[in-house]
Amino acid sequence: MSPPVAPTGWSRWLVPPAALSVHLSIGQAYAWSVFKPPLESALGLSGTQSALPFQLAIVMLGLSAAFGGTLVERRGPRWAMTVALVCFSSGFLIAALGAATRQYWLIVIGYGFVGGIGLGIGYISPVSTLIKWFPDRPGMATGIAIMGFGGGALIASPWSAQMLDSFGADSSGIALAFLVHGLTYAVFMSLGVLLVRVPRAEGPAKPGGPAPLDGPQVSARQAVRTPQFWCLWVVLCMNVTAGIGILEKAAPMITDFFSDTSAPVSASAAAGFVALLSAANMAGRIGWSSTSDLIGRKNVYRLYLGVGALMYLLIAQFGDASKPVFVICALVILSFYGGGFATVPAYLKDLFGTYQVGAIHGRLLTAWSTAGVLGPLIVNWVADRQEEAGKHGSGLYGLSLSIMICLLVVGFVANELVRPVHPRHHIPAPREAADGDTARHQQSA
């Protein structure tokens, strides 16, 4: 499947909606916490066990993005979006079979393994194309598309909750909800497959804008050999771990925090909280990434990591005493979480150029795989152990919140260590390469 080249006069503003159709669909992953309580009740699972499909999906997201990044660059966005459609929808169908037959391992394999591959390929499918279409505003361009991944749960969370109310929260109701998800997302993602185009190679995407390969360029193979790549890997891993720990357990967490108060949080209100977090996640992706075009990538990551640690401290100290404090701090953390995802492609473009930025981005997403295990594991495992020790309510989360603060400080330090890439890692400029070929030819003659 060859990449479709845009005809003359094609508007570059048609590309972000194509990316959004895919990212809004695969962003359903952030609504997984809505399914956790019903699965735990219907199949007798612990909080750690019910997090496993989500954790595996995030692991496979990073691995498939890392190993498939170069292939996505070569085959183009339409091929990548098609693969994402097939894997993501199939994952839901397999999970539906697992829920219907009460075979939890099928839910893990379907949603986690097969669906996770769709997440990874779908996530990186438009990134390189968007940066080539918008070389003048890379933060904004990737933010527009990647905000869809954060906003997917804004749609999926209330939609899933409504289906569980209508179909029932038992295994058959969960199976039917998974089935509807798989079929609906297949139709919606096909819009992106049909609409996406790549820019013509002969010039910039916008008259007067910089050329796609303007400035120093670094290949994906060389990028992973630089300290800048690994500093950014740590930055992304720490930021994602801190955010995903709340996001994966959002509904049970807010319920637990206020379970011992005079105004406990209902299941429907908890689902609404998940939707609010999704809105903050989505808004942060476009808002903070666009801000990074103005103040710089390093400065905006200082904000994500430094202020994020302060928000966690406020939750730990005052979260159970005030719902507004808990909700506002969580919303800020999730806006930073989403902003970190949307800003990192532009950060990579600044450091390594556009030559293989999609493949480099794919390799960097292994940090997301690691965080996808660490974040839920820290929060769920600590909560399970604290519950066994007789604690309840907000006491289940005090230790995990302190761990998150420490991780954000580590990420802050890593961001301060980022410097421009040494010229020895750059690929030769086209003119330099041509001059070198000419000189070698004259010498041989």
Side-chain angles (χ1 to χ4, degrees):
M1 184 182 295
S2 59
V5 178
T8 302
W10 178 268
S11 173
R12 63 178 181 169
W13 292 102
L14 293 174
V15 181
L20 273 173
S21 71
V22 174
H23 275 236
L24 280 171
S25 299
I26 62 177
Q28 184 281 335
Y30 284 148
W32 177 253
S33 65
V34 175
F35 286 102
K36 281 172 63 67
L39 282 170
E40 291 168 16
S41 176
L43 302 181
L45 305 173
S46 68
T48 302
Q49 289 173 322
S50 66
L52 184 58
F54 176 82
Q55 288 177 291
L56 181 57
I58 299 302
V59 169
M60 293 310 301
L61 185 158
L63 294 178
S64 60
F67 290 104
T70 303
L71 191 60
V72 169
E73 288 278 336
R74 186 183 311 129
R75 297 288 186 89
R78 176 170 286 182
W79 175 88
M81 289 180 179
T82 302
V83 172
L85 184 159
V86 172
C87 291
F88 188 65
S89 297
S90 298
F92 266 114
L93 300 183
I94 296 170
L97 178 62
T101 58
R102 300 180 62 84
Q103 298 294 318
Y104 185 60
W105 66 272
L106 275 176
I107 299 177
V108 175
I109 294 298
Y111 189 93
F113 184 80
V114 179
I117 294 173
L119 287 178
I121 300 300
Y123 189 86
I124 65 172
S125 61
V127 169
S128 178
T129 302
L130 282 165
I131 289 178
K132 290 172 183 175
W133 275 110
F134 294 87
D136 51 328
R137 287 181 282 178
M140 181 214 68
T142 55
I144 289 175
I146 292 176
M147 76 174 180
F149 194 88
L154 186 63
I155 299 169
S157 180
W159 182 40
S160 300
Q162 182 59 49
M163 278 194 284
L164 291 173
D165 287 341
S166 301
F167 302 151
D170 57 0
S171 58
S172 61
I174 296 170
L176 190 52
F178 283 158
L179 177 63
V180 172
H181 275 76
L183 297 178
T184 303
Y185 286 134
V187 173
F188 195 60
M189 292 172 75
S190 66
L191 298 177
V193 174
L194 296 174
L195 189 60
V196 72
R197 298 288 188 276
V198 297
R200 293 179 177 274
E202 64 266 17
K206 180 180 180 181
L213 290 181
D214 183 54
Q217 306 295 323
V218 182
S219 69
R221 179 176 294 183
Q222 281 296 319
V224 298
R225 300 175 182 176
T226 65
Q228 288 82 357
F229 177 89
W230 294 106
C231 283
L232 276 186
W233 193 98
V234 172
V235 166
L236 184 63
C237 184
M238 298 301 100
N239 194 55
V240 173
T241 299
I244 210 169
I246 284 185
L247 194 58
E248 187 274 336
K249 202 175 174 66
M253 181 181 286
I254 193 172
T255 302
D256 290 337
F257 252 80
F258 298 98
S259 61
D260 297 332
T261 68
S262 59
V265 177
S266 66
S268 59
F273 175 63
V274 175
L276 276 178
L277 292 182
S278 178
N281 188 354
M282 180 174 62
R285 290 174 186 242
I286 181 61
W288 293 124
S289 62
S290 296
T291 302
S292 77
D293 286 335
L294 302 175
I295 68 173
R297 321 303 171 193
K298 178 175 282 192
N299 286 332
V300 84
Y301 271 96
R302 286 169 174 153
L303 185 70
Y304 299 156
L305 299 160
V307 178
L310 177 61
M311 294 297 102
Y312 263 112
L313 181 61
L314 290 174
I315 291 177
Q317 296 297 318
F318 308 108
D320 59 343
S322 171
K323 285 182 183 176
V325 168
F326 181 92
V327 171
I328 290 171
C329 289
L331 292 177
V332 172
I333 290 170
L334 263 294
S335 77
F336 292 160
Y337 169 81
F341 278 119
T343 308
V344 81
Y347 209 161
L348 292 172
K349 181 259 184 187
D350 293 345
L351 291 170
F352 303 111
T354 59
Y355 172 55
Q356 289 189 330
V357 67
I360 298 170
H361 185 220
R363 286 160 171 77
L364 191 74
L365 290 182
T366 53
W368 194 357
S369 294
T370 304
V373 174
L374 283 179
L377 181 63
I378 290 170
V379 175
N380 286 289
W381 186 85
V382 169
D384 289 345
R385 299 293 81 75
Q386 298 290 67
E387 187 174 14
E388 291 173 1
K391 294 187 178 182
H392 53 84
S394 61
L396 298 174
Y397 302 99
L399 178 59
S400 58
L401 293 175
S402 298
I403 294 172
M404 297 303 182
I405 293 171
C406 294
L407 294 179
L408 287 170
V409 171
V410 171
F412 189 93
V413 173
N415 183 54
E416 293 302 306
L417 297 176
V418 174
R419 297 289 186 273
V421 176
H422 194 280
R424 71 173 178 271
H425 296 291
H426 298 170
I427 63 171
R431 182 175 297 177
E432 294 172 355
D435 291 344
D437 291 341
T438 301
R440 283 191 295 273
H441 178 72
Q442 290 174 345
Q443 291 172 357
S444 63

